[in-house]
């Protein structure tokens, strides 16, 4: 039998080889913040800039996750946790494949972000706090959700009747209030370039 067993483990492409080929290190950039704080807007701008610079970059956001991978999940506490668990596992696979993964989800509690960090690994988890005051998010009210939450039409809305726990020691604390989208994105890009250079 032994002669018919052909181990392939010595031929498996290592992450370090992928990183050398890509010209940058892999990692997960986890954007957390209130609804309307700017996570998706900033993540998309960062993705665009890194992509055009030749990086292997992937964006996980509500739009491409809630419809497929997590399409069976709702918004109960258990489902929100399962949502983040699957996202973190997916981000981990992409990072192992050499990608710089941008994840933009409210992820309101320290516990839920700790779960994501534990899945992804401390080393690969770069937490970006999109630090926009509630009043500013509410004034933006991009999706009209704050008005609905104030009117009692949506329950357990983060920042209104459900808490948001700010990160204690984020990789990056991004204050968007008096900043253009371009300036916020540039801050993130610079931090990624610095942290994830080869
Ligand atoms: N410096 C800034 N950075 C990011 N967004 C900004 C900034 N200044 C103004 N904005 C505006 O704030 C809004 C942020 O909306 P966005 O959908 O990105 O928020 P979000 O955090 O992804 O919310 P949600 O959790 O509901 O998905 C956009 O309309 C954007 O143009
Ligand atoms: Mg968003």
């Amino acid at each position: 039998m032994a002669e018919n067993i052909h181990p392939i483990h010595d031929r498996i492409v290592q992450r370090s080889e992928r990183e050398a080929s890509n010209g940058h290190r892999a990692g997960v950039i986890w954007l957390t913040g209130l609804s309307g704080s700017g996570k998706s807007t900033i993540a998309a701008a960062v993705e665009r800039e890194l992509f055009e610079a030749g990086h292997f970059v992937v964006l996980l956001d509500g739009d491409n996750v809630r419809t497929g991978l997590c399409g069976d999940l709702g918004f109960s506490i258990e489902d929100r946790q399962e949502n983040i668990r699957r996202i973190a596992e997916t981000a981990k696979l992409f990072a192992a494949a050499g990608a710089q993964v941008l994840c933009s989800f409210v992820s309101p509690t320290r516990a839920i972000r700790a779960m994501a960090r534990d899945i992804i690994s401390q080393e690969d988890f770069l937490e970006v706090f999109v630090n926009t005051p509630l009043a500013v998010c509410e004034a933006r009210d991009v999706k009209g959700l704050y008005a609905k939450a104030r009117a009692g039409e949506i329950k357990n809305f983060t920042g209104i009747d459900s808490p948001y726990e700010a990160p204690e020691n984020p990789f990056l604390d991004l204050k968007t209030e008096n900043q253009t989208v371009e300036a916020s994105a540039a801050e993130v890009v610079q931090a990624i370039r610095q942290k994830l250079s080869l």
Side-chain angles (χ1 to χ4, degrees):
M1 273 308 283
E3 66 185 287
N4 292 324
I5 293 171
H6 301 283
I8 58 156
H9 57 264
D10 59 332
R11 300 178 60 194
I12 286 173
V13 181
Q14 300 298 315
R15 171 166 160 176
S16 56
E17 296 175 81
R18 296 180 189 277
E19 291 178 325
S21 168
N22 292 338
H24 60 72
R25 285 176 48 218
V28 178
I29 300 92
W30 192 277
L31 295 97
T32 172
L34 292 166
S35 177
S37 59
K39 301 177 298 297
S40 298
T41 306
I42 293 166
V46 170
E47 182 190 38
R48 171 57 54 190
E49 190 168 337
L50 292 177
F51 173 77
E52 287 181 357
H55 288 220
F56 176 23
V57 62
V58 173
L59 170 59
L60 300 178
D61 198 342
D63 291 344
N64 62 7
V65 165
R66 276 278 179 191
T67 47
L69 178 67
C70 300
D72 57 325
L73 301 176
F75 291 88
S76 67
I77 290 173
E78 295 77 24
D79 279 9
R80 282 172 193 266
Q81 184 166 336
E82 176 61 10
N83 184 48
I84 296 295
R85 189 191 69 79
R86 290 186 200 172
I87 290 159
E89 291 286 0
T90 305
K92 181 183 181 175
L93 288 173
F94 274 114
Q100 296 180 334
V101 193
L102 298 155
C103 297
S104 45
F105 301 93
V106 176
S107 41
T109 63
R110 294 195 186 104
I112 214 159
R113 296 190 301 268
M115 179 185 67
R117 186 198 59 218
D118 289 346
I119 290 169
I120 290 161
S121 87
Q122 173 84 49
E123 161 134 343
D124 284 342
F125 184 82
L126 306 177
E127 189 175 50
V128 174
F129 179 24
V130 184
N131 187 355
T132 310
L134 175 64
V136 175
C137 297
E138 197 167 352
R140 289 177 184 168
D141 208 4
V142 187
K143 302 174 180 171
L145 297 177
Y146 283 97
K148 285 187 181 168
R150 289 286 184 201
E153 289 167 33
I154 305 174
K155 294 280 172 222
N156 301 321
F157 194 74
T158 304
I160 304 297
D161 54 355
S162 180
Y164 177 79
E165 300 171 357
E168 278 166 332
N169 195 17
F171 165 66
L172 191 64
D173 186 341
L174 206 56
K175 298 194 171 65
T176 75
E177 192 179 358
N178 298 310
Q179 223 176 31
T180 62
V181 171
E182 291 70 30
S184 297
E187 250 191 78
V188 180
V189 166
Q190 195 198 8
I192 292 172
R193 282 184 179 283
Q194 232 167 45
K195 180 77 178 176
L196 298 181
S197 66
L198 273 178

